[in-house]
Amino acid sequence: MAERKTTRRRKPAPKPCPDCQAGQTSESFQVGGRRKRLSNDRQEALCLTCLGTGEACTD
């Protein structure tokens, strides 16, 4: 008789980060010499909740 094939269980997919969904967020920034003013442009920043992984914390 032939041996039975065993099936492997898949690991569940990680939950996405509730803040960023992808690991990066966009933030506004200040420009100027003495009088800082808010720029209309945005820059990409690392998400501090998931530290750039894009996955929700398990803690």
Side-chain angles (χ1 to χ4, degrees), residues 11-33:
K11 292 182 181 179
K15 295 180 182 176
C17 178
D19 294 336
C20 66
Q21 305 293 324
Q24 289 186 345
T25 59
S26 60
E27 297 179 340
S28 59
F29 56 95
Q30 296 180 344
V31 296

Side-chain angles (χ1 to χ4, degrees), residues 2 4-6 9 12-15 18 20 25 29 31 37 40 45 48-49 54-55 58:
R4 288 187 176 180
K5 293 184 178 180
T6 59
R9 292 187 179 193
K15 295 180 182 176
C20 66
T25 59
F29 56 95
V31 296
R37 59 189 183 278
N40 293 336
L48 297 179
T49 305
E55 300 173 2
T58 57

Side-chain angles (χ1 to χ4, degrees), residues 1 7 34 46 51 59:
M1 268 174 71
T7 58
R34 292 186 180 191
L46 185 70
L51 298 175
D59 293 339

